[in-house]
Amino acid sequence: MIRKLIRRILGTGSAAGNAVAPDIYEKSAHGILLDDVSNNAIRVTQTLQQAGFKAFIVGGAVRDLLLQHRPKDFDVATNATPEEVKRLFRRAFIIGRRFQIVHVMFGQDLIEVTTFRGASTDEAPKDAHGRVLRDNTFGEQHEDAERRDFTVNAMYYDPSREQVLDYHGGMKDIRSKTLRIIGVPEARYREDPVRMLRVVRFAAKLGFSIAAPTRSPIKVMAPLINNVPAARVFDEMLKLLMSGHAMACLQQLRKQGLHHGLLPLLDVVLEQPLGERFVALALNNTDQRVREGKTVSPGFLFASLLWHQVLERWEAYKAAGEAPIPALHLAADDVLDGQTEQLAIQRRIATDMRDIWAMQPRFERRVGKSPYKLLEHPRLRAGYDFLLLRCASGEIESELGEWWTDFMAADGPQREALLTRKPGETDKPAAKRRRRRSGRGRGRGGADGATEGSGEGGTE
Ligand code: ATP
Ligand code: MG
C-alpha cells in the first residue's frame, strides 16, 4: 500500500505509537455484520456525520465485533466537542469525569460519545509518580488512537462505509490474539497504572497472550497501583470479577504479581486450602452466572472473597470470650476496614456483605420463630446461596443447606414437620452427622451445634 510505503519512508507507523494514517479494512477483510451492531450506535454516528462531523464506533465494541463476541456496550468517538454532540440529541448529558464525555440515551440504552483526545500528556498535570491527573485536550483522530491503551482497543468502525480504521496494527494483533500496549509500555503504565489491571482482564477474558514488552514491566511497576485512588481500583476490580472470567483473572493477577495489596486479605485466603476452595467455588459460580446472562451481586462476590478472613477473626473473637453475634460483627469490621485503604468497597456493597455474613449464624437456628423470620429477610436468597457455598466447600455439613432448601420449598404443615424434626434427622439416607447435641426441645433456641461457628448465636 502506498500509505504504508510513505509511512515507512517517514519512519512513522507501526505499533510504536505514532501512526498518522490508518490501515483501512473494507467489509470483506474485517467481516463485521451490520446486524451485530447496535442500532442506537448507528443512529449516533449517522446523526453526527450528517451534521458534518466524523464519527466512529470505537474501542471494545470494535474489538468484540471482530472477535464475533457480543459487545458489552458501544462507545462512539467523534471530532465534535461535547457541547456540539449534546446539541444534536434530545437526551444527551455531558458527564464531567476525568475526561468529559457525553451520554446519549435511548430509553435504557446508553451510548457514550467521546471527543477525540489530544496525543500529548506532557503538559497534563501529574502526581509525583507520573500519573496523569487531568487531561481534557481535544485532538485529531490519530492522536486519539495513540492515547488508547492496547492496539486491539484502538480501531474505529464506520457503520456508513462499513470500514475499520486501524492505526496501530490492531487487526494483526486480533488475528494473532495478542495484547500489545500502544507506545512505550513503561511510560503508559506510569501515566495510568490501571492499564496493568486492564491487560490482565483482557488476557483472561479474551484468551489472548500478552506481548513480552507489554508484559515484562508489570512485575516491577505493580506497586504503582498503590497511588491510584482506591475507588478507581475498586471499579476495575469489579469489572475484572464480573467479566465472566473472574477465576482466570485472579490467576493472571497472581501470575503477573499484581494481586499483592489489591485484595490484601485474599493473599492469605488463597494460601489456605479451604479458603481457596471456597473462593474458587464462588468465582466459578459467578462466572457461570455471568456467562448465562444472569445478574451477579457485587456484595455476594466480595462477601465470598473475604469470608474466610471473617471466619478466622470470628473464631478469634469468640475464643477471646465475645458472644457469637457481636464477635461476627467485630470480625466483619476488621475485615472491611483492612480492605478500604487499597480498594474502597462502596458503602452500599459493604452493607450487602454484612447482611450476608450476619445471616449465617441465623441459619443455624432451626427452632421456633427464627426460621420464619429469616424467610422474610430481604436478602434471604443471597444469604442462602452463600450458605450453600459454605456447604459445598466443606466448611459446614451439607445437611444444613439441605434443610433450608426443604424449608424454603415447603408449605405450612411441612415446615412445622421440618421444625420438629430432630436436628440431624433427615429423609435422605447416608447423611453423616454428629448427633451428639440432638434432642433439644422446640422453642428453646440454640443452633444444632454440628456446624462450625455455630453456638448459641441467634440474633433475635
Ligand atoms: P469492555 O469490554 O470491558 O467494555 P473496553 O475496551 O470497551 O472493554 P472501556 O473501559 O469500556 O473498555 O473503554 C473503552 C475504550 O476506551 C477502550 O477500548 C480504550 O480504547 C479506551 N480506554 C479505556 N480505558 C483506558 C485507559 N486507562 N487508558 C487508555 N485508554 C483507555
Ligand atoms: Mg466498553
Side-chain angles (χ1 to χ4, degrees), residues 59-61 63-64 72-73 75 147-149 153-154 188 192 194-195 198 201-202 205 232 239:
R63 177 197 70 218
D64 290 346
K72 218 170 57 193
D73 40 41
D75 298 327
R147 289 285 306 277
R148 293 184 179 270
D149 45 9
N153 283 350
R188 301 306 307 285
D192 183 5
V194 165
R195 289 172 187 149
R198 289 175 60 85
R201 171 160 62 93
F202 293 132
K205 182 174 147 176
R232 183 143 183 257
K239 280 195 193 173

Side-chain angles (χ1 to χ4, degrees), residues 1-138:
M1 262 197 250
I2 301 271
R3 213 181 271 126
K4 274 212 173 125
L5 189 68
I6 295 171
R7 235 190 274 157
R8 209 168 298 139
I9 294 164
L10 295 175
T12 57
S14 85
N18 51 1
V20 173
D23 290 335
I24 297 176
Y25 293 89
E26 303 294 337
K27 187 177 178 185
S28 57
H30 61 66
I32 294 176
L33 301 175
L34 270 181
D35 276 354
D36 295 336
V37 181
S38 138
N39 285 332
N40 291 331
I42 295 176
R43 265 160 83 179
V44 171
T45 51
Q46 277 176 353
T47 305
L48 283 159
Q49 288 169 352
Q50 278 156 15
F53 298 108
K54 288 186 183 176
F56 300 85
I57 292 168
V58 70
V62 183
R63 177 197 70 218
D64 290 346
L65 288 167
L66 290 170
L67 291 168
Q68 278 152 19
H69 298 173
R70 180 200 289 272
K72 218 170 57 193
D73 40 41
F74 283 81
D75 298 327
V76 167
T78 178
N79 62 348
T81 64
E83 287 296 337
E84 287 167 331
V85 175
K86 186 175 153 62
R87 258 179 259 139
L88 290 172
F89 299 94
R90 207 163 50 84
R91 291 183 62 221
F93 310 93
I94 297 183
I95 309 294
R97 276 195 255 135
R98 196 154 148 256
F99 307 103
Q100 266 201 342
I101 54 179
V102 185
H103 281 177
V104 180
M105 308 290 305
F106 299 94
Q108 289 295 302
D109 195 18
L110 164 78
I111 305 291
E112 227 174 71
V113 184
T114 324
T115 305
F116 294 148
R117 298 199 193 122
S120 171
T121 53
D122 296 350
E123 306 291 307
K126 303 191 184 74
D127 74 3
H129 305 274
R131 188 171 64 85
V132 173
L133 296 173
R134 240 180 354 272
D135 185 16
N136 222 356
T137 56
F138 301 139

Side-chain angles (χ1 to χ4, degrees), residues 213-260:
T214 299
R215 192 186 56 237
S216 53
I218 295 181
K219 279 212 165 68
V220 184
M221 301 188 80
L224 287 179
I225 300 274
N226 298 338
N227 310 316
V228 177
R232 183 143 183 257
V233 177
F234 177 78
D235 283 350
E236 197 51 44
M237 281 301 287
L238 200 56
K239 280 195 193 173
L240 200 140
L241 293 168
M242 312 270 265
S243 66
H245 303 265
M247 201 58 207
C249 282
L250 282 195
Q251 280 156 357
Q252 270 281 352
L253 280 180
R254 293 180 94 186
K255 199 168 142 197
Q256 305 303 335
L258 275 168
H259 63 301
H260 291 296

